[in-house]
Amino acid sequence: MAHILIVEARFYDHLNDMLLAGARAAIEAAGHSHETITVPGALELPGAIVMAEDTQRFDAYVALGVVIRGETYHFEIVSNESARGIMALTMDGIPIGNGVLTTEDEAQAIRRADPAQLDKGGGAAEAALAMLALKQRL
């Protein structure tokens, strides 16, 4: 049994609740355990994963959050840099499922976060578990 850390950038409570529900359900359905920690925003996700990895308590990670386009360039910075940081960690061999939604509006975020619709939280958890299985097989 693997122990998975869900790292959530909680900004939109109702959207994060849906992402978390999907991720937790997928991990539990696969027979694994999990913990959840919260960070201030999407830019802090990679740093939190590095800190957690240093503890050697977790087998894989699920990064969750929602970034909705606003009126400034900040959307691009947060979206791109959080994804770049997470990708850099995966290149170091850390199994991570990236469930950070980057959407134009709240309606798109709801559709993607809702476990009854696109279930991107569940998908991120499944990706983390698939990468963990690959790492163990290799």
Side-chain angles (χ1 to χ4, degrees):
M1 173 167 54
H3 191 54
I4 312 304
L5 181 64
I6 301 169
V7 184
E8 66 155 342
R10 181 165 282 271
F11 193 80
Y12 301 98
D13 289 341
H14 64 296
L15 299 171
N16 273 71
D17 287 345
M18 288 189 277
L19 287 170
L20 278 170
R24 289 173 175 160
I27 293 167
E28 291 166 8
H32 303 293
S33 63
H34 58 83
E35 291 180 40
T36 302
I37 62 169
T38 302
V39 297
L43 290 174
E44 289 75 35
L45 289 166
I49 292 170
V50 167
M51 288 180 225
E53 180 70 0
D54 286 346
T55 71
Q56 299 182 340
R57 293 178 43 223
F58 305 99
D59 300 298
Y61 304 88
V62 180
L64 300 177
V66 180
V67 184
I68 298 175
R69 184 179 300 279
E71 297 177 4
T72 69
Y73 184 68
H74 185 67
F75 170 85
E76 281 82 6
I77 292 170
V78 173
S79 299
N80 293 339
E81 292 303 311
S82 65
R84 184 195 59 77
I86 291 167
M87 183 56 68
L89 296 176
T90 65
M91 298 298 287
D92 287 339
I94 300 173
I96 303 170
N98 186 347
V100 179
L101 306 181
T102 54
T103 66
E104 296 293 324
D105 55 42
E106 185 176 357
Q108 288 179 349
I110 290 170
R111 184 165 183 264
R112 286 159 177 75
D114 186 353
Q117 294 184 56
L118 295 178
D119 191 20
K120 294 299 184 176
E126 290 167 356
L129 294 172
M131 293 304 291
L132 176 59
L134 178 62
K135 182 177 182 176
Q136 292 170 336
R137 191 172 74 231
L138 296 174

